Amino acid sequence: MAAIKKFIQTHYRHFNAAVVVDAAEAYVRHLRRGGKMLLALAGAMSTAELGISLAEMIRRNKIHAVSTTGANLEEDIFNLVAHKHYKRIPNYRTLSAADELRLYNRKLNRVTDTCIPEEAAMRKIERHILKLWQQAENQGKSYFPYEFFYQLLDAGTLTREYEADPNHSWVLAAWKKRLPIYTPGWEDSTLGNFFVANRRKGLLRTLDAVRSGPEQMDRLIDWYLKNSRKRPPGFFQIGGGIAGDFSICVVPLIEQDLRKPCKKWGYFAQISDSTTSYGSYSGAHPNEKITWGKLAPSTPKFIIESDASIVAPLIFQYVLES
């Protein structure tokens, strides 16, 4: 039964709500015509437990690659192994500086209304993944950040430590599908910080075990060219920032810098609460991307001005029920 889809079609008829329907319907058409879809995932959506709906999208082949912040990559796994230790703060808007300091002293790192436990989540994963960084270094090899997580999942090391429902982990779903996950600016993440700190402490000899951002872009070129032979991939963006800007730039890179024939993205939708602004990438209207060679005038384009934690699961469920 397509209960959510029917509800949305019945009630979301005008204004910003109608764009939700338009974007979802265009998403479905894009997939039916054989197009692939890249998800650009910004913010702290893993801690918002977007994985509950996103994991099923991946399992059902509705998403074929992910470009995300390093925080979203790691925080999905943090939640998977430490869910029972998380603390929700419903009154987060009224916290005082003293309240925040008390959370800090308890090693509870707040993301809006949710605190990630440092020891049960972050340090637990650091201990596991440090061994993989050291192993790669000793073997003279290097991997992308997501590949270390895939190695960890391949080994089954974490299986007995799951505290959340594994079906709610989008990284676990991506691992099973072997989806590529690009993490531009990974050093900005908690594990990125841990990686550098372990080098400084002498537990790693170099910083060579984790492959760089330019290497990720080079790999993304291969993915895009392979998946645009019949129909160009679509681009579904949650939030703004580097996760979206990095990945959408692959098209002008191929066409303008490599000077190779390249189809522009075949679909574009963004959920953002950023104010529309031509001085802000996150708030720029999609038409501005035409001038950069990222989108074509004919590309279906949608901006949904809303909270992604509310809208994204609705769109995902609409697509799943179609």
Side-chain angles (χ1 to χ4, degrees):
M1 294 178 62
I4 298 299
K5 178 180 178 180
K6 185 175 181 180
F7 177 87
I8 292 173
Q9 288 177 329
T10 301
H11 297 279
Y12 287 30
R13 297 191 178 198
H14 302 285
F15 311 145
N16 198 43
V19 184
V20 173
V21 180
D22 295 340
E25 281 290 337
Y27 193 132
V28 172
R29 286 195 298 271
H30 178 78
L31 294 179
R32 286 178 178 169
R33 292 169 180 168
K36 304 293 185 182
M37 188 66 72
L38 180 142
L39 171 68
L41 187 64
M45 299 307 297
S46 289
T47 295
E49 295 192 78
L50 185 67
I52 295 173
S53 55
L54 175 54
E56 186 64 14
M57 287 285 285
I58 293 172
R59 283 192 290 269
R60 299 265 295 273
N61 299 314
K62 309 299 183 183
I63 290 171
H64 308 90
V66 179
S67 173
T68 183
T69 57
N72 272 318
L73 174 66
E74 66 194 14
E75 287 177 17
D76 179 85
I77 300 300
F78 291 165
N79 179 67
L80 180 63
V81 301
H83 184 73
K84 295 176 183 178
H85 294 79
Y86 277 57
K87 181 175 178 58
R88 185 164 179 264
I89 313 290
N91 62 329
Y92 67 94
R93 294 181 187 273
T94 60
L95 293 177
S96 67
D99 293 331
E100 302 280 18
L101 181 59
R102 279 190 284 273
L103 291 173
Y104 170 79
N105 288 335
R106 292 171 61 191
K107 296 187 176 181
L108 291 171
N109 301 266
R110 185 170 70 84
V111 180
T112 311
D113 71 338
T114 304
C115 292
I116 304 174
E118 181 178 330
E119 184 59 35
M122 299 170 179
R123 297 301 175 182
K124 177 187 287 187
I125 295 302
E126 179 190 19
R127 287 190 287 271
H128 286 305
I129 215 156
L130 173 58
K131 296 175 183 177
L132 297 177
W133 291 335
Q134 292 170 328
Q135 178 179 290
E137 184 176 71
N138 291 335
Q139 294 174 348
K141 296 181 179 179
S142 62
Y143 301 95
F144 295 117
Y146 83 96
E147 291 178 317
F148 283 107
F149 277 102
Y150 283 8
Q151 290 173 24
L152 198 57
L153 294 170
D154 283 337
T157 307
L158 301 178
T159 305
R160 294 183 180 179
E161 301 184 36
Y162 293 169
E163 291 189 0
D165 185 340
N167 290 319
H168 294 171
S169 167
W170 71 265
V171 174
L172 202 61
W175 162 66
K176 290 178 180 178
K177 290 283 185 179
R178 281 319 201 229
L179 259 61
I181 303 175
Y182 307 98
T183 47
W186 174 75
E187 61 274 12
D188 177 46
S189 67
T190 298
L191 285 178
N193 289 181
F194 289 169
F195 178 67
V196 175
N198 278 292
R199 163 65 186 90
R200 288 266 177 164
K201 290 188 294 186
L203 296 175
L204 294 166
R205 296 187 301 276
T206 70
L207 298 175
D208 296 338
V210 179
R211 300 182 72 174
S212 68
E215 289 178 288
Q216 295 199 59
M217 179 63 82
D218 189 58
R219 181 71 65 85
L220 178 58
I221 291 171
D222 294 333
W223 182 88
Y224 192 89
L225 291 174
K226 177 182 177 182
N227 288 281
S228 61
R229 289 170 184 165
K230 294 183 178 179
R231 185 173 184 83
F235 195 95
F236 191 89
Q237 181 172 351
I238 295 177
I242 195 171
D245 201 13
F246 164 87
S247 45
I248 204 168
C249 284
V250 72
V251 169
L253 189 164
I254 295 169
E255 187 174 47
Q256 299 173 29
D257 303 324
L258 285 178
R259 300 192 183 281
K260 290 187 175 182
C262 180
K263 300 172 184 175
K264 293 178 173 59
W265 293 96
Y267 165 97
F268 176 85
Q270 180 181 10
I271 305 172
S272 175
D273 58 6
S274 179
T275 303
T276 300
S277 167
Y278 282 84
S280 158
Y281 174 80
S282 300
H285 192 275
N287 278 356
E288 187 176 282
K289 294 173 174 58
I290 296 173
T291 72
W292 290 88
K294 301 168 184 175
L295 304 178
S298 59
T299 305
K301 309 172 194 66
F302 308 93
I303 285 284
I304 303 166
E305 296 175 336
S306 188
D307 185 329
S309 67
I310 298 171
V311 174
L314 291 174
I315 292 181
F316 289 165
Q317 188 61 30
Y318 189 110
V319 172
L320 290 169
E321 291 181 4
S322 297

